[in-house]
Amino acid sequence: MKEMKLIVLLAVTVNATILLVFLIRENKSSSMARSFILWLHGLGDSGPANEPIKTLFSSPEFRATKWSFPSAPSNPVTCNYGAVMPSWFDIHEIPVTADSPKDETSLLKAVKNVHAMIDKEISAGIDPSNVFVCGFSQGGALTLSSVLLYPKTLGGGAVFSGWVPFNSSIMEQISHEGRKTPILWSHGTADRIVLFEAGQAGPPFLEKAGVSCEFKAYPGLDHSISNEELQYLGSWIKGRMQSSS
């Protein structure tokens, strides 16, 4: 009988300990700000193929982060002789230069779809200041357009190997709130798909419109994303997350 009481007491103690640990974790998690990171892939790629990126963001600040990796719809792409592939908007030539032609009609249609994704998360309770949009190549160009044309100030937009896919006339559509969204722009100097000059032309173009942009050049990096870029992105986002308190 004494042995039975000891076992029961031990079970209650273990369960209470588990409950206490759970409550501590629950409180710790609830005190963290909820955030949302939307990742937009490049031409011909897919959302699921990019999901491993989030495994690099393992610090406590990202425990309450919701990630989304959507896939672009299949569309004919001019620079690939009309071939149908996953593409957010049309691209007229490769390599992309600072003076490449822009297809603003298909771009603005894609921006509208991205805004719908952001609206959904904000409606669900995410603070706009904790919404971050990131993208590579074509996805980077769409990221830039989407955060600038969004009517609220977001946590930030991160452009990797992207370009400015619109003309100066679009800048007139950017609201005062949209201009306050910070931009991180990362580009490899050895990029032969979206030329480094196309990336370099971005920040001065944005700064004329009063948009803050941090540009980081990565010597020798081709048209790809490095772990170094992603590590810096993690620090950049953490520095801009707003506390829930």
Side-chain angles (χ1 to χ4, degrees):
M1 191 67 176
K2 286 183 180 180
E3 185 177 355
M4 176 76 70
K5 287 181 179 177
L6 179 61
I7 292 173
V8 171
L9 181 60
L10 179 62
V12 171
T13 303
V14 170
N15 287 336
T17 302
I18 292 173
L19 178 61
L20 180 61
V21 170
F22 175 78
L23 288 173
I24 290 172
R25 287 180 178 172
E26 179 86 359
N27 289 335
K28 195 171 182 180
S29 177
S30 63
S31 67
M32 291 180 186
R34 292 173 59 204
S35 58
F36 174 62
I37 299 177
L38 176 63
W39 189 276
L40 304 174
H41 65 74
L43 178 66
D45 204 352
S46 72
N50 286 262
E51 287 189 17
I53 287 172
K54 67 183 178 182
T55 62
L56 298 175
F57 296 76
S58 57
S59 59
E61 290 85 353
F62 294 103
R63 286 179 189 163
T65 296
K66 178 179 179 180
W67 290 79
S68 179
F69 294 86
S71 293
S74 294
N75 288 304
V77 180
T78 300
C79 68
N80 285 332
Y81 307 100
V84 175
M85 62 186 64
S87 177
W88 299 110
F89 57 89
D90 198 16
I91 300 175
H92 288 262
E93 65 180 22
I94 294 288
V96 175
T97 71
D99 300 316
S100 288
K102 281 87 172 170
D103 191 316
E104 293 179 345
T105 301
S106 60
L107 171 69
L108 292 176
K109 182 180 177 181
V111 166
K112 185 177 180 180
N113 291 334
V114 173
H115 284 181
M117 299 177 205
I118 297 172
D119 288 342
K120 180 181 177 183
E121 299 307 321
I122 291 176
S123 296
I126 303 291
D127 191 297
S129 61
N130 283 328
V131 171
F132 299 88
V133 184
C134 312
F136 172 72
S137 192
Q138 186 191 45
L142 178 56
T143 290
L144 180 68
S145 310
S146 299
V147 299
L148 292 180
L149 291 171
Y150 196 72
K152 298 177 181 178
T153 303
L154 301 177
V159 179
F160 294 91
S161 304
W163 69 95
V164 178
F166 50 80
N167 296 304
S168 56
S169 58
I170 292 289
M171 297 299 285
E172 298 171 7
Q173 301 179 32
I174 301 174
S175 68
H176 176 69
E177 295 302 313
R179 292 175 196 271
K180 292 192 292 184
T181 297
I183 304 295
L184 170 65
W185 196 311
S186 305
H187 213 114
T189 61
D191 196 329
R192 295 291 178 267
I193 303 299
V194 179
L195 299 187
F196 183 66
E197 67 173 53
Q200 272 187 313
F205 178 81
L206 298 176
E207 286 164 7
K208 286 180 182 177
V211 178
S212 172
C213 181
E214 178 184 354
F215 185 82
K216 290 183 71 66
Y218 289 82
L221 182 67
D222 57 13
H223 194 63
S224 59
I225 299 180
S226 68
N227 283 346
E228 184 182 356
E229 286 179 294
L230 292 174
Q231 287 168 3
Y232 186 79
L233 173 64
S235 300
W236 189 81
I237 290 178
K238 285 190 291 185
R240 284 158 181 77
M241 280 183 177
Q242 300 300 310
S243 172
S244 60
S245 58

